[in-house]
Amino acid sequence: MAGDQTELIHAGEPDPRIGGAVVPPIFQSATFEQIPGSGYHDGRYIRLSNTPTHDHLHQKLASICGTESALVSSSGMAAITSTLLTLLGSGDTVIAQDRLYGGTESFLSGEVQRWGIDVQRFDACSPGTWQDPPAGAKVVYCEVITNPTCRIGDLRAVAAWAREHGLVSVIDATFATPVLVKPAELGFDIEVHSATKSMNGHGDICAGVIAGKAKLVHEVHHCLNHLGGHLDAHACFLLHRGLRTMALRVERQCQNALAISRFLEGHEAVSLVNYAGLESHPDHHRCVELMGGRAGGVLSFDVAAGAEEAERIATSMRYMATAPSMGGVETLIIRPASSSHAAVDPQVRRAMGVPDSLVRIGCGVEDAADLVADLAAVMGERV
Ligand code: PLP
């Protein structure tokens, strides 16, 4: 296997090239001629995610993720919800990590429960605390790096535990990307991504990815067709383009996040820094083992003076836009309590490690020195 960046450019590309085009062209057509004698299932239609543009992107994503199969969707949430709706039905139980992205958390504590699906929690970082799953358990769900607390669970053990109990293991790998870790190699059945973030990497589309075992991805594809959660062809083209530079961007984002984390760790106004690239982080050993020490482009920190000061910091930066999301070329800063986790019950939110005074930074690819100087200026310290 070639290096990461070589694979991202060359793996899964159409062969032979379409019309000789070095960049795969975009098929911006909602429907396609039926071949005489072919059946309904042979037809190409954009909602069925089977245009040539989708096919090429699926092939490329499966190569990049190292999975049997891959599928794109209209958003990360479409990837998550269609996967869980495929795997779960009334009377089933999903065993979900106790710290998750706010959108997933509100889906699990809202719609999922209304549909008669039970949700039980587990701490992915502490295998010693895991109980035998209940009779109706079907799925284990977790994140590679949790948003925004940046915890990394004992992921090999999670996948093995799911297998041992006949459960489907699903992992959200948005913060890690396939550049840092390939969940299929850790034993996971399905991975989901918000490709809105580092996969596309330019903050200009909303997209999701589901990748994993062919049979399971095929079932999710069927469900996604009914839910209408396909990705538009033009967005497919942009995602394909973004993927080609993902390793370069992720590498730089990791360097920036580490530089900022080191600065914040020594700052008197900060009571806690969540970034697994720091030796002081409780999951640093897993970050080293699973990701070669690269902890991704997102970090969060708790402002000792409270939410008001956290808000002032998050809204005063020169090079960091106050906006949700992450993974683009621009650095973004926000308080999760007012954005990604705003819909989560405040008590639950605090129990998940997300106080109102927590600030999250999603690093872009600017120069680390400028980002650190920006923070130092706003937080009143020379660097
Ligand atoms: N998963 C994680 C870890 C996220 O951070 C997000 C969004 O921030 C999502 C899923 C949802 O992605 P999208 O906004 O593309 O639906």
Side-chain angles (χ1 to χ4, degrees):
M1 181 136 159
D4 277 348
Q5 193 46 59
T6 308
E7 284 288 317
L8 285 168
I9 293 168
H10 295 284
E13 291 291 299
D15 182 19
R17 292 193 159 109
I18 301 158
V22 172
V23 174
I26 172 171
F27 289 80
Q28 187 78 55
S29 179
T31 191
F32 293 75
E33 273 184 340
Q34 260 193 5
I35 298 160
S38 63
Y40 170 74
H41 292 292
D42 303 316
R44 289 182 185 269
Y45 181 60
I46 197 162
R47 178 171 51 76
L48 307 181
S49 305
N50 64 359
T51 73
T53 298
H54 288 89
D55 288 352
H56 299 144
L57 182 54
H58 292 161
Q59 187 178 311
K60 188 165 189 76
L61 281 162
S63 294
I64 290 171
C65 297
T67 54
E68 290 172 9
S69 193
L71 169 71
V72 287
S73 60
S74 56
S75 66
M77 280 311 292
I80 293 164
T81 54
S82 56
T83 298
L84 291 176
L85 284 177
T86 302
L87 299 172
L88 294 162
S90 172
D92 292 342
T93 298
V94 49
I95 304 176
Q97 190 171 4
D98 51 7
R99 301 160 179 255
L100 292 171
Y101 162 61
T104 312
E105 182 56 42
S106 356
F107 178 64
L108 289 175
S109 52
E111 287 89 347
V112 160
Q113 312 236 352
R114 280 202 280 110
W115 296 330
I117 298 164
D118 191 30
V119 183
Q120 294 205 352
R121 303 295 176 163
F122 81 113
D123 176 357
C125 297
S126 311
T129 62
W130 303 346
Q131 317 263 325
D132 276 352
K138 291 280 160 55
V139 171
V140 172
Y141 186 96
C142 62
E143 294 178 1
V144 175
I145 303 172
T146 61
N147 178 357
T149 47
C150 301
R151 296 301 307 258
I152 300 172
D154 194 340
L155 301 179
R156 274 186 220 282
V158 173
W161 183 64
R163 207 167 35 248
E164 185 190 331
H165 291 96
L167 313 178
V168 178
S169 50
V170 182
I171 189 159
D172 180 335
T174 300
F175 274 27
T177 81
V179 175
L180 300 184
V181 75
K182 295 192 173 30
E185 289 176 3
L186 304 181
F188 281 87
D189 296 313
I190 302 194
E191 64 195 81
V192 288
H193 298 260
S194 168
T196 314
K197 315 291 176 339
S198 292
M199 277 193 164
N200 173 59
H202 292 79
D204 48 12
I205 62 164
C206 187
V209 170
I210 301 118
K213 298 205 165 125
K215 179 178 170 292
L216 294 170
V217 175
H218 179 76
E219 287 169 13
V220 177
H221 195 156
H222 190 72
C223 178
L224 191 76
N225 287 350
H226 291 156
L227 295 174
H230 74 284
L231 187 63
D232 174 73
H234 190 248
C236 287
F237 172 82
L238 289 174
L239 174 54
H240 196 137
R241 182 173 72 170
L243 284 170
R244 294 167 147 233
T245 55
M246 181 164 62
L248 289 171
R249 291 182 281 96
V250 168
E251 204 64 55
R252 177 66 165 238
Q253 287 164 343
C254 289
Q255 289 165 6
N256 285 352
L258 185 60
I260 291 174
S261 297
R262 289 212 192 286
F263 164 75
L264 290 170
E265 195 181 28
H267 200 289
E268 60 181 17
V270 173
S271 55
L272 174 73
V273 181
N274 295 314
Y275 189 64
L278 292 175
E279 293 76 5
S280 58
H281 189 278
D283 304 323
H284 181 67
H285 62 294
R286 293 196 189 110
C287 174
V288 171
E289 193 230 317
L290 299 172
M291 305 179 202
R294 298 170 303 169
V298 182
L299 65 114
S300 61
F301 62 100
D302 199 1
V303 177
E308 213 174 299
E309 174 63 359
E311 184 67 13
R312 186 194 69 80
I313 292 170
T315 52
S316 307
M317 296 295 160
R318 177 174 177 196
Y319 294 122
M320 305 185 194
T322 310
S325 201
M326 69 282 295
V329 293
E330 303 88 0
T331 296
L332 304 179
I333 185 166
I334 196 98
R335 277 190 316 120
S338 70
S339 57
S340 60
H341 289 66
V344 178
D345 178 80
Q347 226 177 329
V348 174
R349 198 163 65 205
R350 279 190 283 276
M352 289 167 82
V354 187
D356 291 359
S357 48
L358 195 75
V359 176
R360 186 186 70 201
I361 298 178
C363 292
V365 300
E366 300 93 337
D367 294 287
D370 293 325
L371 298 175
V372 171
D374 199 0
L375 271 170
V378 169
M379 295 173 71
E381 190 177 306
R382 282 176 199 276
V383 276

PDB file of all heavy atoms in Angstrom, residues 354-383:
ATOM      1  N   VAL A 354     -19.507  18.747  29.372  1.00  0.00           N
ATOM      2  CA  VAL A 354     -19.654  19.944  28.535  1.00  0.00           C
ATOM      3  C   VAL A 354     -20.293  21.076  29.349  1.00  0.00           C
ATOM      4  O   VAL A 354     -21.479  21.380  29.199  1.00  0.00           O
ATOM      5  CB  VAL A 354     -20.502  19.629  27.274  1.00  0.00           C
ATOM      6  CG1 VAL A 354     -20.511  20.817  26.313  1.00  0.00           C
ATOM      7  CG2 VAL A 354     -19.984  18.393  26.560  1.00  0.00           C
ATOM      8  N   PRO A 355     -19.496  21.721  30.236  1.00  0.00           N
ATOM      9  CA  PRO A 355     -20.044  22.866  30.976  1.00  0.00           C
ATOM     10  C   PRO A 355     -20.237  24.067  30.054  1.00  0.00           C
ATOM     11  O   PRO A 355     -19.684  24.087  28.947  1.00  0.00           O
ATOM     12  CB  PRO A 355     -18.948  23.151  32.017  1.00  0.00           C
ATOM     13  CG  PRO A 355     -17.693  22.631  31.411  1.00  0.00           C
ATOM     14  CD  PRO A 355     -18.094  21.454  30.535  1.00  0.00           C
ATOM     15  N   ASP A 356     -20.981  25.065  30.510  1.00  0.00           N
ATOM     16  CA  ASP A 356     -21.225  26.263  29.685  1.00  0.00           C
ATOM     17  C   ASP A 356     -19.927  27.018  29.396  1.00  0.00           C
ATOM     18  O   ASP A 356     -19.847  27.789  28.443  1.00  0.00           O
ATOM     19  CB  ASP A 356     -22.211  27.199  30.401  1.00  0.00           C
ATOM     20  CG  ASP A 356     -23.611  26.590  30.451  1.00  0.00           C
ATOM     21  OD1 ASP A 356     -23.794  25.473  29.913  1.00  0.00           O
ATOM     22  OD2 ASP A 356     -24.513  27.217  31.038  1.00  0.00           O
ATOM     23  N   SER A 357     -18.934  26.799  30.245  1.00  0.00           N
ATOM     24  CA  SER A 357     -17.661  27.530  30.116  1.00  0.00           C
ATOM     25  C   SER A 357     -16.669  26.827  29.183  1.00  0.00           C
ATOM     26  O   SER A 357     -15.525  27.244  29.054  1.00  0.00           O
ATOM     27  CB  SER A 357     -17.032  27.674  31.505  1.00  0.00           C
ATOM     28  OG  SER A 357     -17.054  26.415  32.163  1.00  0.00           O
ATOM     29  N   LEU A 358     -17.113  25.739  28.526  1.00  0.00           N
ATOM     30  CA  LEU A 358     -16.204  25.009  27.620  1.00  0.00           C
ATOM     31  C   LEU A 358     -16.180  25.696  26.250  1.00  0.00           C
ATOM     32  O   LEU A 358     -17.227  26.058  25.709  1.00  0.00           O
ATOM     33  CB  LEU A 358     -16.672  23.555  27.465  1.00  0.00           C
ATOM     34  CG  LEU A 358     -15.638  22.602  26.858  1.00  0.00           C
ATOM     35  CD1 LEU A 358     -14.549  22.257  27.885  1.00  0.00           C
ATOM     36  CD2 LEU A 358     -16.294  21.297  26.376  1.00  0.00           C
ATOM     37  N   VAL A 359     -14.974  25.842  25.708  1.00  0.00           N
ATOM     38  CA  VAL A 359     -14.789  26.430  24.369  1.00  0.00           C
ATOM     39  C   VAL A 359     -14.167  25.356  23.475  1.00  0.00           C
ATOM     40  O   VAL A 359     -13.236  24.663  23.901  1.00  0.00           O
ATOM     41  CB  VAL A 359     -13.853  27.659  24.429  1.00  0.00           C
ATOM     42  CG1 VAL A 359     -13.577  28.200  23.023  1.00  0.00           C
ATOM     43  CG2 VAL A 359     -14.445  28.743  25.315  1.00  0.00           C
ATOM     44  N   ARG A 360     -14.694  25.220  22.256  1.00  0.00           N
ATOM     45  CA  ARG A 360     -14.114  24.239  21.312  1.00  0.00           C
ATOM     46  C   ARG A 360     -13.457  24.979  20.151  1.00  0.00           C
ATOM     47  O   ARG A 360     -14.022  25.945  19.633  1.00  0.00           O
ATOM     48  CB  ARG A 360     -15.224  23.322  20.782  1.00  0.00           C
ATOM     49  CG  ARG A 360     -14.689  22.190  19.907  1.00  0.00           C
ATOM     50  CD  ARG A 360     -15.819  21.397  19.290  1.00  0.00           C
ATOM     51  NE  ARG A 360     -16.506  22.182  18.270  1.00  0.00           N
ATOM     52  CZ  ARG A 360     -17.749  21.942  17.840  1.00  0.00           C
ATOM     53  NH1 ARG A 360     -18.425  20.943  18.340  1.00  0.00           N
ATOM     54  NH2 ARG A 360     -18.302  22.710  16.913  1.00  0.00           N
ATOM     55  N   ILE A 361     -12.283  24.479  19.772  1.00  0.00           N
ATOM     56  CA  ILE A 361     -11.608  25.034  18.594  1.00  0.00           C
ATOM     57  C   ILE A 361     -11.440  23.918  17.571  1.00  0.00           C
ATOM     58  O   ILE A 361     -10.923  22.847  17.887  1.00  0.00           O
ATOM     59  CB  ILE A 361     -10.217  25.620  18.953  1.00  0.00           C
ATOM     60  CG1 ILE A 361     -10.365  26.773  19.945  1.00  0.00           C
ATOM     61  CG2 ILE A 361      -9.485  26.090  17.694  1.00  0.00           C
ATOM     62  CD1 ILE A 361      -9.043  27.394  20.398  1.00  0.00           C
ATOM     63  N   GLY A 362     -11.915  24.155  16.355  1.00  0.00           N
ATOM     64  CA  GLY A 362     -11.689  23.223  15.242  1.00  0.00           C
ATOM     65  C   GLY A 362     -10.627  23.865  14.367  1.00  0.00           C
ATOM     66  O   GLY A 362     -10.900  24.876  13.703  1.00  0.00           O
ATOM     67  N   CYS A 363      -9.427  23.320  14.385  1.00  0.00           N
ATOM     68  CA  CYS A 363      -8.312  23.996  13.712  1.00  0.00           C
ATOM     69  C   CYS A 363      -8.411  23.912  12.200  1.00  0.00           C
ATOM     70  O   CYS A 363      -8.770  22.866  11.644  1.00  0.00           O
ATOM     71  CB  CYS A 363      -6.986  23.384  14.149  1.00  0.00           C
ATOM     72  SG  CYS A 363      -6.647  23.748  15.863  1.00  0.00           S
ATOM     73  N   GLY A 364      -8.042  25.003  11.563  1.00  0.00           N
ATOM     74  CA  GLY A 364      -7.872  25.033  10.115  1.00  0.00           C
ATOM     75  C   GLY A 364      -6.410  24.809   9.784  1.00  0.00           C
ATOM     76  O   GLY A 364      -5.671  24.194  10.565  1.00  0.00           O
ATOM     77  N   VAL A 365      -5.994  25.333   8.648  1.00  0.00           N
ATOM     78  CA  VAL A 365      -4.620  25.070   8.195  1.00  0.00           C
ATOM     79  C   VAL A 365      -3.767  26.342   8.186  1.00  0.00           C
ATOM     80  O   VAL A 365      -2.746  26.411   7.508  1.00  0.00           O
ATOM     81  CB  VAL A 365      -4.597  24.392   6.797  1.00  0.00           C
ATOM     82  CG1 VAL A 365      -5.332  23.069   6.827  1.00  0.00           C
ATOM     83  CG2 VAL A 365      -5.214  25.297   5.721  1.00  0.00           C
ATOM     84  N   GLU A 366      -4.184  27.341   8.974  1.00  0.00           N
ATOM     85  CA  GLU A 366      -3.354  28.545   9.074  1.00  0.00           C
ATOM     86  C   GLU A 366      -2.026  28.176   9.753  1.00  0.00           C
ATOM     87  O   GLU A 366      -1.820  27.044  10.158  1.00  0.00           O
ATOM     88  CB  GLU A 366      -4.070  29.614   9.924  1.00  0.00           C
ATOM     89  CG  GLU A 366      -5.432  30.069   9.391  1.00  0.00           C
ATOM     90  CD  GLU A 366      -6.599  29.284   9.976  1.00  0.00           C
ATOM     91  OE1 GLU A 366      -6.402  28.133  10.442  1.00  0.00           O
ATOM     92  OE2 GLU A 366      -7.725  29.811   9.955  1.00  0.00           O
ATOM     93  N   ASP A 367      -1.171  29.177   9.950  1.00  0.00           N
ATOM     94  CA  ASP A 367       0.094  28.934  10.659  1.00  0.00           C
ATOM     95  C   ASP A 367      -0.165  28.887  12.163  1.00  0.00           C
ATOM     96  O   ASP A 367      -0.812  29.793  12.718  1.00  0.00           O
ATOM     97  CB  ASP A 367       1.092  30.045  10.331  1.00  0.00           C
ATOM     98  CG  ASP A 367       1.483  29.983   8.869  1.00  0.00           C
ATOM     99  OD1 ASP A 367       2.236  29.071   8.502  1.00  0.00           O
ATOM    100  OD2 ASP A 367       0.991  30.814   8.078  1.00  0.00           O
ATOM    101  N   ALA A 368       0.405  27.874  12.810  1.00  0.00           N
ATOM    102  CA  ALA A 368       0.154  27.677  14.246  1.00  0.00           C
ATOM    103  C   ALA A 368       0.522  28.919  15.049  1.00  0.00           C
ATOM    104  O   ALA A 368      -0.209  29.328  15.962  1.00  0.00           O
ATOM    105  CB  ALA A 368       0.938  26.466  14.747  1.00  0.00           C
ATOM    106  N   ALA A 369       1.625  29.551  14.701  1.00  0.00           N
ATOM    107  CA  ALA A 369       2.097  30.706  15.478  1.00  0.00           C
ATOM    108  C   ALA A 369       1.053  31.824  15.469  1.00  0.00           C
ATOM    109  O   ALA A 369       0.844  32.510  16.494  1.00  0.00           O
ATOM    110  CB  ALA A 369       3.417  31.214  14.912  1.00  0.00           C
ATOM    111  N   ASP A 370       0.366  32.004  14.351  1.00  0.00           N
ATOM    112  CA  ASP A 370      -0.642  33.070  14.272  1.00  0.00           C
ATOM    113  C   ASP A 370      -1.861  32.733  15.128  1.00  0.00           C
ATOM    114  O   ASP A 370      -2.464  33.614  15.750  1.00  0.00           O
ATOM    115  CB  ASP A 370      -1.069  33.284  12.809  1.00  0.00           C
ATOM    116  CG  ASP A 370       0.077  33.837  11.989  1.00  0.00           C
ATOM    117  OD1 ASP A 370       0.862  34.632  12.533  1.00  0.00           O
ATOM    118  OD2 ASP A 370       0.209  33.449  10.816  1.00  0.00           O
ATOM    119  N   LEU A 371      -2.234  31.459  15.137  1.00  0.00           N
ATOM    120  CA  LEU A 371      -3.402  31.049  15.938  1.00  0.00           C
ATOM    121  C   LEU A 371      -3.097  31.197  17.430  1.00  0.00           C
ATOM    122  O   LEU A 371      -3.929  31.676  18.212  1.00  0.00           O
ATOM    123  CB  LEU A 371      -3.793  29.596  15.598  1.00  0.00           C
ATOM    124  CG  LEU A 371      -4.217  29.355  14.142  1.00  0.00           C
ATOM    125  CD1 LEU A 371      -4.455  27.862  13.898  1.00  0.00           C
ATOM    126  CD2 LEU A 371      -5.473  30.165  13.797  1.00  0.00           C
ATOM    127  N   VAL A 372      -1.892  30.791  17.827  1.00  0.00           N
ATOM    128  CA  VAL A 372      -1.510  30.906  19.239  1.00  0.00           C
ATOM    129  C   VAL A 372      -1.417  32.381  19.633  1.00  0.00           C
ATOM    130  O   VAL A 372      -1.905  32.788  20.697  1.00  0.00           O
ATOM    131  CB  VAL A 372      -0.172  30.152  19.501  1.00  0.00           C
ATOM    132  CG1 VAL A 372       0.344  30.449  20.903  1.00  0.00           C
ATOM    133  CG2 VAL A 372      -0.368  28.647  19.316  1.00  0.00           C
ATOM    134  N   ALA A 373      -0.846  33.192  18.753  1.00  0.00           N
ATOM    135  CA  ALA A 373      -0.722  34.628  19.056  1.00  0.00           C
ATOM    136  C   ALA A 373      -2.108  35.268  19.180  1.00  0.00           C
ATOM    137  O   ALA A 373      -2.330  36.150  20.021  1.00  0.00           O
ATOM    138  CB  ALA A 373       0.087  35.319  17.968  1.00  0.00           C
ATOM    139  N   ASP A 374      -3.039  34.819  18.362  1.00  0.00           N
ATOM    140  CA  ASP A 374      -4.410  35.308  18.400  1.00  0.00           C
ATOM    141  C   ASP A 374      -5.009  35.041  19.789  1.00  0.00           C
ATOM    142  O   ASP A 374      -5.539  35.947  20.459  1.00  0.00           O
ATOM    143  CB  ASP A 374      -5.197  34.557  17.308  1.00  0.00           C
ATOM    144  CG  ASP A 374      -6.490  35.251  16.915  1.00  0.00           C
ATOM    145  OD1 ASP A 374      -6.787  36.314  17.486  1.00  0.00           O
ATOM    146  OD2 ASP A 374      -7.196  34.722  16.032  1.00  0.00           O
ATOM    147  N   LEU A 375      -4.886  33.802  20.238  1.00  0.00           N
ATOM    148  CA  LEU A 375      -5.417  33.428  21.559  1.00  0.00           C
ATOM    149  C   LEU A 375      -4.708  34.207  22.664  1.00  0.00           C
ATOM    150  O   LEU A 375      -5.349  34.702  23.600  1.00  0.00           O
ATOM    151  CB  LEU A 375      -5.195  31.927  21.801  1.00  0.00           C
ATOM    152  CG  LEU A 375      -6.294  30.981  21.331  1.00  0.00           C
ATOM    153  CD1 LEU A 375      -5.811  29.546  21.421  1.00  0.00           C
ATOM    154  CD2 LEU A 375      -7.567  31.164  22.158  1.00  0.00           C
ATOM    155  N   ALA A 376      -3.397  34.318  22.532  1.00  0.00           N
ATOM    156  CA  ALA A 376      -2.616  35.006  23.570  1.00  0.00           C
ATOM    157  C   ALA A 376      -3.063  36.455  23.679  1.00  0.00           C
ATOM    158  O   ALA A 376      -3.185  36.996  24.795  1.00  0.00           O
ATOM    159  CB  ALA A 376      -1.136  34.912  23.244  1.00  0.00           C
ATOM    160  N   ALA A 377      -3.331  37.077  22.558  1.00  0.00           N
ATOM    161  CA  ALA A 377      -3.752  38.483  22.578  1.00  0.00           C
ATOM    162  C   ALA A 377      -5.099  38.619  23.287  1.00  0.00           C
ATOM    163  O   ALA A 377      -5.297  39.495  24.123  1.00  0.00           O
ATOM    164  CB  ALA A 377      -3.833  39.020  21.152  1.00  0.00           C
ATOM    165  N   VAL A 378      -6.026  37.735  22.963  1.00  0.00           N
ATOM    166  CA  VAL A 378      -7.373  37.821  23.536  1.00  0.00           C
ATOM    167  C   VAL A 378      -7.377  37.399  25.015  1.00  0.00           C
ATOM    168  O   VAL A 378      -8.138  37.925  25.819  1.00  0.00           O
ATOM    169  CB  VAL A 378      -8.353  36.982  22.694  1.00  0.00           C
ATOM    170  CG1 VAL A 378      -9.686  36.828  23.388  1.00  0.00           C
ATOM    171  CG2 VAL A 378      -8.535  37.606  21.323  1.00  0.00           C
ATOM    172  N   MET A 379      -6.493  36.456  25.345  1.00  0.00           N
ATOM    173  CA  MET A 379      -6.487  35.949  26.720  1.00  0.00           C
ATOM    174  C   MET A 379      -5.461  36.679  27.587  1.00  0.00           C
ATOM    175  O   MET A 379      -5.214  36.289  28.729  1.00  0.00           O
ATOM    176  CB  MET A 379      -6.247  34.433  26.725  1.00  0.00           C
ATOM    177  CG  MET A 379      -7.403  33.704  26.055  1.00  0.00           C
ATOM    178  SD  MET A 379      -7.115  31.943  25.842  1.00  0.00           S
ATOM    179  CE  MET A 379      -7.225  31.340  27.510  1.00  0.00           C
ATOM    180  N   GLY A 380      -4.824  37.684  27.022  1.00  0.00           N
ATOM    181  CA  GLY A 380      -3.934  38.533  27.803  1.00  0.00           C
ATOM    182  C   GLY A 380      -2.649  37.892  28.224  1.00  0.00           C
ATOM    183  O   GLY A 380      -2.306  37.898  29.414  1.00  0.00           O
ATOM    184  N   GLU A 381      -1.928  37.344  27.291  1.00  0.00           N
ATOM    185  CA  GLU A 381      -0.626  36.776  27.636  1.00  0.00           C
ATOM    186  C   GLU A 381       0.294  36.839  26.428  1.00  0.00           C
ATOM    187  O   GLU A 381      -0.125  36.581  25.312  1.00  0.00           O
ATOM    188  CB  GLU A 381      -0.775  35.321  28.079  1.00  0.00           C
ATOM    189  CG  GLU A 381       0.501  34.766  28.668  1.00  0.00           C
ATOM    190  CD  GLU A 381       0.279  33.331  29.150  1.00  0.00           C
ATOM    191  OE1 GLU A 381      -0.656  33.130  29.939  1.00  0.00           O
ATOM    192  OE2 GLU A 381       1.026  32.464  28.722  1.00  0.00           O
ATOM    193  N   ARG A 382       1.562  37.179  26.670  1.00  0.00           N
ATOM    194  CA  ARG A 382       2.533  37.169  25.570  1.00  0.00           C
ATOM    195  C   ARG A 382       2.967  35.759  25.285  1.00  0.00           C
ATOM    196  O   ARG A 382       3.032  34.933  26.174  1.00  0.00           O
ATOM    197  CB  ARG A 382       3.793  37.958  25.977  1.00  0.00           C
ATOM    198  CG  ARG A 382       3.610  39.449  25.901  1.00  0.00           C
ATOM    199  CD  ARG A 382       4.881  40.105  26.430  1.00  0.00           C
ATOM    200  NE  ARG A 382       4.600  41.475  26.795  1.00  0.00           N
ATOM    201  CZ  ARG A 382       4.597  42.462  25.938  1.00  0.00           C
ATOM    202  NH1 ARG A 382       4.866  42.238  24.680  1.00  0.00           N
ATOM    203  NH2 ARG A 382       4.323  43.691  26.322  1.00  0.00           N
ATOM    204  N   VAL A 383       3.323  35.465  23.984  1.00  0.00           N
ATOM    205  CA  VAL A 383       3.874  34.125  23.694  1.00  0.00           C
ATOM    206  C   VAL A 383       5.316  34.268  23.237  1.00  0.00           C
ATOM    207  O   VAL A 383       5.738  35.310  22.778  1.00  0.00           O
ATOM    208  CB  VAL A 383       3.085  33.399  22.570  1.00  0.00           C
ATOM    209  CG1 VAL A 383       1.889  32.714  23.181  1.00  0.00           C
ATOM    210  CG2 VAL A 383       2.660  34.299  21.445  1.00  0.00           C
TER     211      VAL A 383
END
